Structure formats: structure tokens, C-alpha cells
Amino acid sequence: MRIRTIIEPFRIKSVEPIRRTTQEERQKLLEAAGYNLFLIPAEYILIDLLSDSGTNAMSTEQWAAMMRGDESYAGSPSFTRFRDSIQAIMGFRHVIPTHQGRAAERILFNVMCKKGDVVPNNTHFDTTRANCEFVGAEAVDLPIPEALEPARQHPFKGNMDTSRLIQLIERVGPERVPLVMLTVTNNSGGGQPVSLENIKAVKAICARQGIPLYIDACRFAENAYFIRLREPGYAGKTPREIAKEMFRCADGCTMSAKKDGLANIGGFLCTNDDTIAQQEKDLLILTEGFPTYGGLAGRDLEAIAVGLNEALEEDYLNYRILSTAYLGNHIAAEGVPIVQPPGGHAIYIDARAFLPHIPPGQFPGVALAAELYLEGGIRSVEIGTLMFGKRDEHGVEHPGQMDLLRLAIPRRVYTQSHIDYVVEVILEVWRRRETIRGLELIYQAPFLRHFTARLRPAP
Ligand SMILES: Cc1ncc(COP(=O)(O)O)c(C=O)c1O
């Protein structure tokens, strides 16, 4: 008989206690935090699915590599190992370290974009959009239509709509499109992968117009594994071979090593363009640091150099993708509406379908997140109206395209019994969903409002 159980491909060497709280304590914490789970101290969270970013458990090899970290201000051998590890997978000529992904985005958009420019992406992540808009450019999302239907099955829902890309470039003119981006996997669109066929098609369109293609590479390894599982012709290739093929289509990338770098901090920016690289390094020195450390310690560079390779290991990726699907499939089997098929790093519950009695203007995703915390101390995050919607000058809320609740799975952190507990809590809340009330916004910051917003139960 074949053994079907997927086990965590590691054993645990160091443990970190997690703390239970009572429902009464959680109610008080929730009120004090204005129903915003970003504002709850982490020690009051039992299972933290707020983000898969920087929450990775590092391996013995990564910890060992950190001891080799060389903290020289300039020319550290840790940078050489970092650069070589990245170039061996991604192949770009210039590798510029940054303290995390958004620093790479800020530098990229500052150098490449100006007011009035247009940057297409399958879906901009929130920091990508904010950094793009901050320099006066317009961030345009061009997901395929299937991506907007949460229940719809499609193997590559992260794909960009190539006909809309062509139309957009024709409409605004290629001179106003300094770059096109592809986010792999598409985080805001449900953690869905982009196929190599789509990457190549987007590249061909860009090449015809002389526009560079950049990959937002945060989850490149998970994307490569989905290609192997789902795209005809790739079953026999290793994730590393597939990743290399993805990057061969691109002219550069931004990366948050807090995801598939399996590190707790760090990022980088890559390009093949010598002139752009020089301008990026000049800006880097101004705000991040010398180009051989870019805001990171030598030990962080070492952890990333090792982590990028571990993220491409077959056993790891198999466990990663299947264990995320385990959560999604178990709740979907009981009727909980999720973005189908399950994504790579997270399960997204369709909060509008879960709570149809709560209008988008009353933040169903945030209300559901609060309820999962109240029920079982689980922290998740809304990806919807609070994150992407806008309130106009008359106080009217313009909703986001979808109201999703993201349960992001930190890499190598939780075991199957933790996930079984999460399933139970979600199903308990699902059974009493009709009693859940909407929320009203009482404070918002001028941008990236979801981090600090405060809310209260709607009257
Ligand atoms: C797709 C995507 N791009 C960019 C970023 C920004 O990276 P960082 O949080 O390291 O600044 C993230 C982070 O979550 C992301 O998911």
C-alpha cells in the first residue's frame, strides 16, 4: 500500500511556546486594538497566520551560515555568497541587496518611473502599488477574468490578461510604460501561480515594444512548483530548472527574501541594465547602505544565500504546497467559500460569500478576521475593502474588487495538528456566521490604511 501522509520534512530542534488566552481576554484585546489584528501584541496570538513574510523557521544550515557572516562595511565575502546564490538561480547581471522587498520597489520605481507613467502588473501587491503611486505613476492590475471569480477553478489564475496588456500599451503609448511587472505567485490575487506560457507571452509583448519585464519574485519557488505540477511539459523538470526558465524571460526582479528566501529579513533588486543598476546603487547608498550590504547584516546575506536554495528543494516544496492545500480542502469540504484552487502560501476565504449579510462597506473580511481571533486566538488578515478600497471626501466607502480573508502559512513553522485546530475554529465560526456583525471605520491613515485603521461594530 502506498503511504499517503505528507509529513513535515524536518524535525524540531528548538521550540517556541505559544500562549492560550480566554475568550474574555481576547474580546478586550480586540476592542483595545480597534478590531485591527495588526494592533494586537503577538504574545496574545495562539496561531499567527497574519503573514508568511519573515515568519519562516530557519534551518540548521542557515543558522550555521550566519556564523560565517562577515560584517565588513565594504566588499564582504557574505555579499559574494549572496550574489552568487542569486545569480545561480536568477541569472541577472546586477544584484542589489535591500532590507526588504518594498525597499527594492521604492528604488526601482524611483529610478524607472515618473509622473504620468503606467505600470501594468497581474496584480500589484499593496506596497508595490503604494510605491508606484508615490512617484506619480499609475499602477494598473491586469489579472485574467477568471482571477476575479473566487470559486472558479483554473490552474494559473495568477496569469496576466495579455490582450488587455496589448490594449493598454496601445492606448497610453509604450513611452509611458517604463516596465511591466509579473507577481509570482500573485499574492493579492489569491496566491495563484503564473504559467511559463503566460510569462513568455508577456515577455514577447514587452520585447516588441522595447519595455523591460520585471518579476516580483517573492514566491518564485512556489510558483515554479505549481508549474511543475500543472503545466504540460514541466513534470520532468526540477523546480530549480523551472525557476531559471522563468527568470530567463525577465530583465530584472524585486524580491522579498522574507518569503521564498526562507529568511526573517532581507530582499534584493536585480537588473540586467548597467545604467539603471548604477542609478539604483546611487539611491541605495542614500537610504539603505553600501551596495555590498544594502541595509542588511552580513549574517542576513548568508541566511538568504542558503535559504533560496532550500526553498527550491523538492521535498520542501511538496510539503509546502500540499500542506497549504490541506487547510483549504478541509474547510472547503464543509462549504466554506475559498479562492479555488488553494494558493501556495495561503488560503483565502471569500468573506463576501461567507458573510453575505455584511455589505463590503462594513468590511466583511475584517469582521471575519476578528471573529476567528475571538473564537480561537487565530490571527489572519483582510485583503479587501480595508486594504484596497477608498473612502471619498463624502465619507462613502468604495469597496475593493473582492473581500478576502487571508490565512498565510509561515514556512516550516506549524505542524499538522496546529492546522487541524485552525480548521476546527473556522468551522465553528462558519456554523454561527449569521450572528456576525459588520464594522465601521473610525480612523484611517492617508495611505496603506489597513495597518493602522481602527474600527468598531457597525450600529
Ligand atoms: C507579492 C509581494 N510583493 C512585495 C512584497 C513586499 O515585501 P516586504 O514585505 O519584504 O517589503 C510582499 C510582501 O508581503 C509581497 O507579498
Side-chain angles (χ1 to χ4, degrees):
M1 202 180 81
R2 280 191 56 212
I3 310 260
R4 289 174 45 237
T5 306
I6 305 298
I7 61 164
E8 290 81 9
F10 48 80
R11 46 186 192 182
I12 296 162
K13 189 174 218 161
S14 176
V15 296
E16 216 179 341
I18 48 178
R19 186 169 156 244
R20 283 181 186 276
T21 48
T22 64
Q23 195 151 6
E24 206 182 359
E25 281 175 303
R26 293 196 289 276
Q27 180 62 48
K28 284 198 186 116
L29 285 156
L30 207 49
E31 283 165 20
Y35 288 78
N36 184 345
L37 299 186
F38 278 105
L39 304 180
I40 295 196
E43 64 260 42
Y44 301 117
I45 307 287
L46 187 64
I47 307 278
D48 204 345
L49 307 182
L50 177 68
S51 179
D52 65 319
S53 179
T55 52
N56 307 310
M58 291 211 296
S59 68
T60 45
E61 288 304 318
Q62 283 177 294
W63 285 110
M66 285 180 88
M67 286 305 292
R68 265 198 311 274
D70 179 302
E71 305 302 342
S72 302
Y73 190 94
S76 161
S78 296
F79 173 71
T80 311
R81 285 188 279 273
F82 170 83
R83 184 198 57 205
D84 292 353
S85 167
I86 293 164
Q87 284 179 333
I89 300 165
M90 304 187 176
F92 298 117
R93 197 148 61 231
H94 300 278
V95 175
I96 299 169
T98 59
H99 79 275
Q100 60 182 88
R102 68 198 68 187
E105 292 165 355
R106 192 185 66 79
I107 292 170
L108 176 74
F109 293 131
N110 261 280
V111 168
M112 294 195 72
C113 299
K114 57 181 187 319
K115 198 168 175 351
D117 283 346
V118 175
V119 180
N121 199 326
N122 44 356
T123 310
H124 289 84
F125 182 66
D126 59 354
T127 60
T128 323
R129 168 172 292 277
N131 273 297
C132 184
E133 290 174 350
F134 199 71
V135 298
E138 189 189 345
V140 180
D141 293 341
L142 300 175
I144 54 169
E146 291 87 340
L148 302 178
E149 291 176 56
R152 179 89 173 256
Q153 289 280 355
H154 186 289
F156 291 103
K157 259 181 161 174
N159 284 355
M160 180 179 273
D161 188 330
T162 46
S163 34
R164 282 173 67 208
L165 175 64
I166 294 168
Q167 284 162 16
L168 177 72
I169 298 172
E170 267 172 18
R171 185 168 57 78
V172 304
E175 61 290 346
R176 280 182 59 202
V177 184
L179 74 160
V180 171
M181 287 192 90
L182 271 177
T183 305
V184 304
T185 57
N186 187 359
N187 185 358
S188 311
Q192 301 291 324
V194 182
S195 69
L196 252 166
E197 188 186 22
N198 188 252
I199 297 174
K200 287 177 181 171
V202 171
K203 173 62 186 172
I205 295 165
C206 291
R208 277 201 297 276
Q209 304 285 357
I211 300 170
L213 171 64
Y214 275 68
I215 291 185
D216 177 338
C218 294
R219 299 177 182 83
F220 75 97
E222 292 169 8
N223 199 86
Y225 200 67
F226 277 121
I227 288 174
R228 186 191 145 115
L229 292 178
R230 298 181 186 169
E231 190 159 352
Y234 290 94
K237 298 211 170 180
T238 64
R240 174 179 283 269
E241 286 167 337
I242 297 170
K244 282 183 170 181
E245 199 171 329
M246 284 160 48
F247 289 112
R248 269 202 298 276
C249 302
D251 302 280
C253 77
T254 55
M255 173 76 185
S256 168
K258 300 169 76 174
K259 285 83 171 174
D260 279 353
L262 289 175
N264 301 122
I265 194 70
F268 51 88
L269 173 58
C270 293
T271 177
N272 285 331
D273 185 314
D274 298 342
T275 312
I276 297 274
Q278 194 51 54
Q279 291 170 14
E280 288 172 346
K281 285 180 197 171
D282 292 345
L283 204 52
L284 185 85
I285 291 175
L286 197 65
T287 57
E288 292 278 302
F290 194 70
T292 59
Y293 74 89
L296 292 171
R299 52 184 176 269
D300 299 324
L301 299 172
E302 297 278 1
I304 296 165
V306 175
L308 289 167
N309 289 302
E310 290 183 355
L312 284 168
E313 280 170 14
E314 218 128 355
D315 270 356
Y316 160 73
L317 281 170
N318 189 44
Y319 138 80
R320 172 77 179 151
I321 300 303
L322 289 178
S323 59
T324 304
Y326 177 92
L327 168 59
N329 292 338
H330 275 74
I331 57 174
E334 298 297 320
V336 176
I338 65 164
V339 172
Q340 290 284 5
H345 67 294
I347 294 302
Y348 293 70
I349 296 177
D350 181 352
R352 267 183 214 171
F354 194 112
L355 301 171
H357 57 286
I358 301 181
Q362 288 187 4
F363 309 101
V366 187
L368 182 54
E371 219 56 41
L372 294 186
Y373 177 67
L374 206 54
E375 183 66 39
I378 296 167
R379 177 153 66 174
S380 52
V381 67
E382 184 247 35
I383 308 249
T385 296
L386 188 61
M387 189 178 270
F388 291 118
K390 283 208 166 63
R391 169 170 291 206
D392 66 21
E393 61 277 21
H394 310 293
V396 178
E397 200 55 57
H398 296 272
Q401 269 175 332
M402 295 192 266
D403 275 289
L404 303 177
L405 179 82
R406 188 184 73 178
L407 303 148
I409 320 285
R411 294 171 184 75
R412 306 190 291 206
V413 170
Y414 293 116
T415 63
Q416 187 172 327
S417 62
H418 290 120
I419 299 301
D420 285 335
Y421 170 84
V422 173
V423 169
E424 262 192 73
V425 170
I426 294 171
L427 294 182
E428 191 52 42
V429 172
W430 173 241
R431 281 189 275 276
R432 60 172 176 77
R433 59 193 179 278
E434 277 152 25
T435 64
I436 300 170
R437 287 167 61 191
L439 298 168
E440 67 174 351
L441 187 62
I442 49 178
Y443 166 75
Q444 65 165 7
F447 42 80
L448 296 177
R449 64 177 182 172
H450 54 288
F451 287 125
T452 51
R454 301 186 70 86
L455 303 96
R456 65 180 170 213

